[in-house]
Amino acid sequence: MNIVLATLNAKYIHTNLALRCLKASVQPEFNPTITEYTIKDPSFNIVSDIYLKKPNVVGFSCYIWNIEETIKVVRLLKKVSPETIIVLGGPEVSYDSNYWLRRIEEIDYIVMGEGEISFKQLLHYLDGNLPLKEVPGICYMQDDKFILHPQGPKIDLREMPSPFRFEEDIPHLSKRITYIETSRGCPFSCQFCLSSIEVGVRYFNREKVKEDIRYLMDHDAKIIKFVDRTFNISRSYAMEMFQFLIDEHRPGVVFQFEITADIMRPEVIQFLNDNAPAGLFRFEIGVQSTNELTNELVKRKQNFEKLTRTVTMVKEGGKIAQHLDLIAGLPEEDYASFKQTFNDVFAMGPEELQLGFLKLLRGTGLRVQAEEYGYVYVDQAPYEIFANNVLTFDDMLRIKQAEDVLEKYWNDHRLDHTVGYLVSETFETPFDFFQDFGTYWELKGWSRIGHQLEDLFKRLEEFLIQDGRADMTIVRSLMKFDYLAHHQFQPRKPWWEKEMEKEAQSVIYRKIIENPTIAGTSFADLQLHEREVYKQTLLVPFTLDLAKLTQQQVVSKDGYLLTYFKPGQAPQFSFITKEQVS
């Protein structure tokens, strides 16, 4: 029997762990072909590719980000190959299965929840080796009647075969994100999350997991992301895995985890700060809201004081990057409350702050309570809300404007010094900066056109000039420093207007060439020839003390910033006072 397992990933760099788990679980009796596409691929191209494989059975892995595109593919595929059996699985179709089967008549079967055993038994049925009634955890239509088979017992994860030993995956490991799970389930009951439905946490065999990680590193995997809902729910287990990853890590490999920060003990963080190589680990932490009533209503237990302690200790350690998540639109969190949540979390200085918007997922408690909280939401995936009883659509649009510039100006780390100064010294709160700039961005229509790096600087400058609150002398110097810090070559056309005449610049360059120590001993040690000075450096007016700036302090001082560029390296900065070249 020819079987294809397919999915539409959000991006090419993603990989689908579920398909690999299914393939491993049905072997050796069956040997499916895994085919991964993206949601941007034309449906016709996907169908054509699948059709040419001449499958008897096609299984699609379905999520909120790909369900609508998957439906288009399913309908087209059934038209050109009506005899092909189409099976859907995944979190998006595991709930309200009756709805999906009646909406899309081209679906033959839906596998609900964990699919490893159910899918294998279904294949045995389709291959003529098992009665249909003995297949657990599936549903289908029969004579216009919805038929549901109860799910079987939970899988013993300790006996699961590895989903990482397929030769066809090896060439792609270095180029894509590899997802791995060491447990399933979540101990918490957050009503906006599907993980709250499954009771208890089950673990895979630890030694098998370690062997899989060794295998992945041996074959050049670079980013390995754990999909465990709460990686650190067991302190002893987390410590064992942290120690293993530290002991056996390879240069260039990064491990990402979702952790619950308020249950992480200080001694665990101290251990990581003392022993983990910088850049080896990356933490994703769901904060969602700091409003106590909101957290209570969604059954989310969170000690913000302990969470702050964890995030602060990790940041002070300087070894682990942190990505913190917020959700706008949770019950009883109005605009003012969300602004407070944002400022509470931004104050911790996370490397990334993701501002998400509530989605009423099928199967979650909040979707059941939608009417109680006045939710108005899109009735197609991803089910994002428009408004609720305390948050208007106008409020949501304003928050989206803030989110847009947050991504561009904070999470992309193009202007760290500039934005750090603006949110602390110029605007009343960080949220005010992102909101006011975001609203201006939308007003100018910039959200509908593309941008290059230089545009980000020009548009920020334009906004700040019209806003009138910022000291533009300081800000322009900060912006120059941030801009040049991201270049390995001298920029041909910087974003700022010409500030020095060529003759005045030549006078200063002549003095630097005659006496390189005026630009500091580090610059003098480069021992550059005259031609190299002109070709590989850039001299611009600068109004800040460079030594203080590298210590995150903004202190005024008139002079010039000399930037030396060398391909493959970060630029080297020197500061020259006006007195030194006068």
Side-chain angles (χ1 to χ4, degrees), residues 119-380:
F119 186 64
K120 184 173 185 177
Q121 299 295 72
L122 179 61
L123 292 181
H124 277 303
Y125 158 70
L126 295 173
D127 207 27
N129 299 318
L130 189 73
L132 181 58
K133 64 181 181 181
E134 293 185 17
V135 180
I138 65 167
C139 56
Y140 50 93
M141 299 299 293
Q142 190 174 78
D143 299 326
D144 203 34
K145 182 180 179 182
F146 175 69
I147 308 295
L148 183 148
H149 292 196
Q151 290 181 311
K154 294 290 186 182
I155 297 171
D156 185 350
L157 301 180
R158 296 168 297 180
E159 303 301 321
M160 290 281 288
S162 170
F164 303 108
R165 306 305 174 102
F166 305 124
E167 289 188 10
E168 61 267 29
D169 281 337
I170 292 175
H172 309 290
L173 288 175
S174 64
K175 308 179 188 72
R176 305 174 75 179
I177 300 172
T178 299
Y179 296 90
I180 189 170
E181 57 180 348
T182 67
S183 66
R184 287 182 184 174
C186 181
F188 303 110
S189 303
C190 305
Q191 295 299 289
F192 50 80
C193 180
L194 282 174
S195 298
S196 64
I197 297 171
E198 184 174 350
V199 178
V201 179
R202 295 169 292 142
Y203 286 89
F204 287 76
N205 182 290
R206 297 185 186 188
E207 296 310 312
K208 287 183 179 180
V209 169
K210 292 175 184 177
E211 284 301 316
D212 280 339
I213 293 172
R214 290 189 184 104
Y215 174 89
L216 291 168
M217 292 192 295
D218 286 343
H219 290 89
D220 211 25
K222 297 301 183 187
I223 302 176
I224 300 176
K225 184 171 181 178
F226 290 76
V227 297
D228 304 55
R229 302 309 300 166
T230 304
F231 182 80
N232 61 315
I233 189 62
S234 166
R235 183 161 61 99
S236 62
Y237 172 72
M239 283 294 290
E240 179 181 338
M241 290 302 296
F242 286 144
Q243 184 71 68
F244 165 75
L245 298 173
I246 290 170
D247 290 342
E248 303 204 21
H249 79 279
R250 316 286 174 84
V253 179
V254 178
F255 295 96
Q256 300 184 28
F257 311 89
E258 291 188 32
I259 69 162
T260 299
D262 59 342
I263 66 172
M264 202 163 201
R265 299 285 292 273
E267 55 266 32
V268 175
I269 305 168
Q270 193 59 54
F271 166 80
L272 295 174
N273 287 345
D274 293 340
N275 296 283
L280 178 64
F281 297 146
R282 173 184 171 87
F283 287 168
E284 296 185 21
I285 300 170
V287 183
Q288 320 312 4
S289 175
T290 62
N291 183 310
E292 291 185 7
L293 173 60
T294 294
N295 284 327
E296 181 181 339
L297 291 172
V298 297
K299 299 182 181 179
R300 181 175 178 80
K301 295 179 180 179
Q302 180 169 272
N303 186 317
F304 187 66
E305 182 180 345
K306 290 183 177 179
L307 184 150
T308 303
R309 179 190 66 190
T310 294
V311 173
T312 303
M313 280 189 68
V314 170
K315 186 174 180 63
E316 290 174 348
K319 300 284 192 70
I320 301 170
Q322 298 179 97
H323 171 115
L324 273 56
D325 291 327
L326 303 179
I327 297 179
L330 292 172
E332 302 305 323
E333 176 137 87
D334 60 13
Y335 181 84
S337 173
F338 183 78
K339 174 180 176 179
Q340 184 63 52
T341 284
F342 182 98
N343 289 327
D344 289 341
V345 177
F346 193 88
M348 292 185 274
E351 284 75 17
E352 290 183 16
L353 177 57
Q354 181 173 322
L355 199 169
F357 298 86
L358 180 64
K359 298 168 180 62
L360 294 184
L361 306 180
R362 294 179 183 275
T364 60
L366 269 190
R367 187 170 177 119
V368 175
Q369 296 176 285
E371 188 174 341
E372 177 181 347
Y373 296 114
Y375 280 115
V376 180
Y377 61 98
V378 185
D379 60 1
Q380 284 190 337

Side-chain angles (χ1 to χ4, degrees), residues 339-483:
K339 174 180 176 179
Q340 184 63 52
T341 284
F342 182 98
N343 289 327
D344 289 341
V345 177
F346 193 88
M348 292 185 274
E351 284 75 17
E352 290 183 16
L353 177 57
Q354 181 173 322
L355 199 169
F357 298 86
L358 180 64
K359 298 168 180 62
L360 294 184
L361 306 180
R362 294 179 183 275
T364 60
L366 269 190
R367 187 170 177 119
V368 175
Q369 296 176 285
E371 188 174 341
E372 177 181 347
Y373 296 114
Y375 280 115
V376 180
Y377 61 98
V378 185
D379 60 1
Q380 284 190 337
Y383 314 114
E384 189 170 302
I385 70 163
F386 289 126
N388 63 20
N389 59 342
V390 298
L391 202 65
T392 67
F393 188 46
D394 282 334
D395 294 333
M396 289 293 290
L397 291 178
R398 292 179 66 201
I399 295 172
K400 282 183 178 291
Q401 293 163 3
E403 186 263 346
D404 189 23
V405 295
L406 175 72
E407 285 294 320
K408 293 179 173 68
Y409 286 86
W410 181 257
N411 291 341
D412 283 352
H413 294 287
R414 294 294 192 183
L415 294 101
D416 284 353
H417 293 86
T418 307
V419 174
Y421 172 79
L422 291 171
V423 300
S424 62
E425 303 295 333
T426 303
F427 289 80
E428 186 175 347
T429 73
F431 187 81
D432 287 311
F433 165 70
F434 292 109
Q435 181 66 88
D436 292 353
F437 188 19
T439 300
Y440 185 79
W441 187 283
E442 181 63 30
L443 182 67
K444 296 293 289 187
W446 293 334
S447 61
R448 293 179 288 279
I449 58 177
H451 62 271
Q452 297 179 337
L453 178 63
E454 289 74 13
D455 296 323
L456 294 177
F457 288 81
K458 290 178 181 177
R459 291 171 185 176
L460 176 60
E461 182 183 47
E462 178 182 325
F463 161 67
L464 293 173
I465 290 172
Q466 69 80 36
D467 179 78
R469 280 176 278 186
D471 184 329
M472 293 307 296
T473 302
I474 291 175
V475 169
R476 284 195 180 98
S477 287
L478 288 170
M479 291 174 70
K480 289 177 189 175
F481 185 76
D482 282 332
Y483 178 79

